[in-house]
Amino acid sequence: MEEKETRVLVCDKMAKEGLETLSKAGFYVDYRPQITKEELLKVIGSYDAVIVRSRTKITKEVIEHGKKLKVIGRAGVGLDNIDVKTAKERNIKVLNAPEALSNAVAELTIGLMISLARGIHKGHLHLRKGEWIKNQLLGTELYGKTLGIIGFGRIGRRVAKLAHALGMKILVYDIVKPEEEELRSAEAKLVSLDELLSSSDFVSLHVPATPETYHLINEEKLRKMKKDAYLINTSRGSVVNEEDLVRALKEGWIKGAALDVFEEEPPKNEVLLSLENVLLTPHIGSQTKEAQVQTAISIAKKVISALKE
């Protein structure tokens, strides 16, 4: 088969709508969602662009082998699996598609909050074991409670709007000062991190994985939270010091936590996995049909635009 001039390698699972968008633009699309690191190093040199999700790591070594690379696309939000520094040094554009996942992650965040507040996960597990623990599940309502949002980007803002619709009070902390209109639309108040931690009934994390956010939530921060507060992390596992969180959950510094992301995935911390006051999901923030289609189309369009410049 005669190959088209511009070649795009897609290394992870991608909705067919995104693949079709690339093909219709006249590109040769090589879809290899199970490609190994060794295979990637062998073939990357013949592609103009590569698209990944979170599974594939675009390391310095991979980039150096990509002699023709002009664009690296991340079908998602975080860029922590891409060596952005090396890419910039090689004048390779690094693109992502954060706008497509915002609602999916925000809805999961609200779902985790409700499950924590009402003990839904506990009720489910005990009922499957034949145990009727109704009297042990006196929950709390989200209405009237204070939600502290750390990181007020697209996802944080969407969470704020959904939580505001549920009657929650919203506190916000971000190193970048949000626009007044963004705060006003959710009736949110911008506060210091310490005030947010000490005043919130729920604390939800929506920050990227950077050196500045590494273990942002540690023993010092956890001890500042209310003893009946809940922590929710749907951002990146490295933002939370898991050993400190385990102590907080075991010793009652906070009431509970919900984690969709972990320092190591899949998680191997057996103590964390065994605690009843933690709700765990396997990094499913963006795992909706709608989000996957929107993300695939969005990153495909951005890659097309970048390659045709």
Side-chain angles (χ1 to χ4, degrees), residues 16 35 38 40 60 77 130 135 160 172 174 177 193 218 227 265 302 307:
K16 62 181 177 60
I35 192 169
E38 293 71 26
L40 178 59
K60 180 178 182 179
V77 182
N135 292 334
V172 170
D174 201 312
K177 186 177 180 181
L193 181 55
N218 52 25
K227 289 190 179 298
E265 295 184 356
K302 290 180 180 181
L307 287 172

Side-chain angles (χ1 to χ4, degrees), residues 217-224 241 244-245 247 253:
I217 301 301
N218 52 25
E219 177 176 350
E220 176 194 359
K221 303 297 193 304
L222 289 163
R223 286 190 180 278
K224 290 178 179 178
N241 183 317
D244 290 352
L245 177 61
R247 287 185 59 206
W253 308 350

Side-chain angles (χ1 to χ4, degrees), residues 210-221:
T210 67
E212 292 74 25
T213 63
Y214 179 75
H215 285 183
L216 174 66
I217 301 301
N218 52 25
E219 177 176 350
E220 176 194 359
K221 303 297 193 304

